[in-house]
Amino acid sequence: MEWIDRLNEAMRYIEAHLTEETDLRELGRIAYCSPYHFQRMFSYMAGVTLSEYIRRRRMSLAAVELQSGEVKVIDAAVKYGYNSPTAFNRAFQSVHGVAPSAVRDAGVSLKSYPPLRFVMSIRGARELEYRIESRPAFRIVGLSEPLHPEVERNFEIVPGMWARAAQSGAISRLAARMDAGLPGILGVSFCGAQESGRYWIAVASNLPEGEFDACVVPAYTWAVFPGTGAGGDIQELERRIVTEWLPDSGYEYADGPDVEVYLSPEPTGEFEVWIPVVRARTAEA
């Protein structure tokens, strides 16, 4: 329950700072994980991205204030962090389906999104295979691009990288450099609390990088989950790791990269998901 308690503390922090810019580092600190991992956990557990949840909460409160006549539209826009009434109007209509100027009209229908609270639920009827593995640091060679601080933006960045790498033949050329005892094409998300996020399409290799770049994945203890299928199957496995395995595992996210290991080239081939873990800390630790 300690893990759930930390998530709910993060929800209380969000609620107390809805009129301020979202501090992702503080949310990660509260939840004992990186900002990137916090956003991923939130979206898997809540079924909505963190930025969308915050937008809905802000627009819910704005609707109440506008309907009561407490504030004008321009004041609500400034209060909830919008640079112009036009941007605020767009956000408001996307949530409520009406313009903010219409909220006091008779019979207008609005939506309310109450504060989110996490509770422990019973799930896990299906088995989830995993192993815990300690691995020394290893060097990777490949292509990389910056990740966006908001996780949902990366749902466009990362697939675009894979498409370009496949089209250019880079994946095949990378496979020829694989020599460090770790088979497979790797998707590595460097997303720690103290670093700018970066995504790599790479292989483990000690060979010269040539046309590619190189970096080192530090030593970690990993929770490794095998699977088969395509991209959607990987995302479903990652959702199950966060919602079913992690809460009761005795582990929590370490401040390190996530790794997807693609073991076969087929679209529905074998893969593994690696998450860096440490033993769960208590509130007093």
Side-chain angles (χ1 to χ4, degrees):
M1 292 297 290
E2 185 99 25
W3 189 72
I4 297 295
D5 291 341
R6 293 202 301 267
L7 289 176
N8 284 324
E9 184 182 347
M11 293 301 98
R12 289 189 290 273
Y13 177 85
I14 289 171
E15 199 65 20
H17 297 82
L18 279 173
T19 59
E20 304 168 17
E21 184 177 352
T22 304
D23 189 338
L24 295 175
R25 290 187 182 274
E26 179 63 13
L27 291 173
R29 186 198 65 77
I30 293 170
Y32 293 172
C33 63
S34 72
Y36 181 90
H37 284 137
F38 179 83
Q39 291 178 83
R40 287 187 63 185
M41 286 193 299
F42 182 92
S43 61
Y44 283 135
M45 297 187 73
V48 64
T49 64
L50 178 64
S51 61
E52 176 63 16
Y53 167 75
I54 291 173
R55 185 169 66 91
R56 290 178 182 180
R57 282 296 300 141
R58 286 171 173 167
M59 294 305 100
S60 291
L61 296 179
V64 171
E65 295 170 5
L66 289 169
Q67 198 168 42
S68 67
E70 293 179 15
V71 297
K72 298 178 181 179
V73 172
I74 183 63
D75 297 327
V78 172
K79 179 176 181 179
Y80 290 103
Y82 289 86
N83 294 325
S84 70
T86 300
F88 175 73
N89 183 74
R90 199 161 45 238
F92 193 93
Q93 289 202 56
S94 70
V95 171
H96 297 288
V98 297
S101 58
V103 298
R104 301 185 73 183
D105 294 349
V108 69
S109 178
L110 300 170
K111 294 181 175 66
S112 177
Y113 292 93
L116 188 151
R117 181 175 179 271
F118 292 103
V119 297
M120 185 67 76
S121 63
I122 304 300
R123 60 180 66 194
R126 292 180 295 154
E127 68 179 20
L128 191 58
E129 181 182 349
Y130 75 96
R131 69 182 186 272
I132 301 297
E133 177 178 320
S134 294
R135 179 175 285 270
F138 59 94
R139 179 176 178 268
I140 62 173
V141 169
L143 307 165
S144 71
E145 289 187 18
L147 287 169
H148 197 278
E150 293 184 7
V151 168
E152 56 266 32
R153 300 280 189 91
N154 299 315
F155 295 154
E156 298 178 2
I157 293 173
V158 172
M161 282 185 65
W162 280 99
R164 291 189 297 274
Q167 186 175 23
S168 68
I171 291 178
S172 297
R173 297 195 300 276
L174 278 172
R177 282 180 163 79
M178 198 186 307
D179 80 330
L182 175 60
I185 303 295
L186 311 179
V188 185
S189 300
F190 283 93
C191 46
Q194 304 303 322
E195 61 189 43
S196 300
R198 199 161 190 89
Y199 185 82
W200 286 74
I201 298 173
V203 295
S205 177
N206 292 313
L207 296 176
E209 59 265 32
E211 66 182 288
F212 300 107
D213 297 319
C215 76
V216 173
V217 177
Y220 285 103
T221 296
W222 306 88
V224 181
F225 300 81
T228 58
D233 299 290
I234 294 175
Q235 291 177 6
E236 172 60 14
L237 177 57
E238 291 173 342
R239 184 196 66 79
R240 292 191 64 203
I241 292 168
V242 169
T243 60
E244 297 178 22
W245 182 80
L246 197 58
D248 198 37
S249 67
Y251 290 92
E252 61 191 40
Y253 270 113
D255 188 11
D258 288 350
V259 180
E260 294 172 351
V261 182
Y262 298 92
L263 297 167
S264 56
E266 293 81 10
T268 56
E270 298 180 5
F271 59 81
E272 291 180 340
V273 172
W274 294 22
I275 65 169
V277 293
V278 294
R279 283 291 181 181
R281 291 163 284 184
T282 64
E284 293 78 20

